Amino acid sequence: MNPRIIGIKINKLRRYQLILDLYNKYKSDDVPTTVVWRKHIYPVYPISRTTLYEILGTPVKKELAKIEEQKATQMSLF
């Protein structure tokens, strides 16, 4: 895989992690996801609700670890 593509994926997953951290900070049982999105996430990260739901369904840590491993493997080849 191209190092540029790896960098793009890593940055995207790190941004997803920041959004998840913000979501988990304000989300509780009595606060709907749409309220957390509207009051806390959208002003900082202007994403749609659909994108938020996509981020919530993404196993960020697992994918980040996999990509970091690929990056380390590629670096060892050079």
Side-chain angles (χ1 to χ4, degrees):
M1 193 181 299
N2 187 343
R4 183 172 169 246
I5 294 173
I6 290 174
I8 290 170
K9 287 185 178 187
I10 288 172
N11 287 337
K12 179 177 121 178
L13 290 170
R14 287 179 182 162
R15 187 171 41 255
Y16 278 14
Q17 187 61 52
L18 292 172
I19 292 169
L20 284 171
D21 291 343
L22 192 58
Y23 174 81
N24 290 328
K25 180 178 177 182
Y26 293 106
K27 178 65 175 145
S28 64
D29 291 338
D30 59 336
V31 179
T33 299
T34 54
V35 173
V36 174
W37 168 75
R38 186 178 64 239
K39 288 186 175 182
H40 304 288
I41 295 174
Y42 188 77
V44 179
Y45 301 100
I47 59 171
S48 67
R49 271 188 337 188
T50 306
T51 303
L52 175 62
Y53 289 125
E54 179 183 326
I55 292 169
L56 293 175
T58 304
V60 174
K61 291 181 181 181
K62 180 180 175 184
E63 287 190 24
L64 226 130
K66 185 171 73 171
I67 291 175
E68 291 284 354
E69 181 181 314
Q70 286 177 351
K71 183 179 176 182
T73 302
Q74 261 192 349
M75 291 300 195
S76 66
L77 294 176
F78 292 112

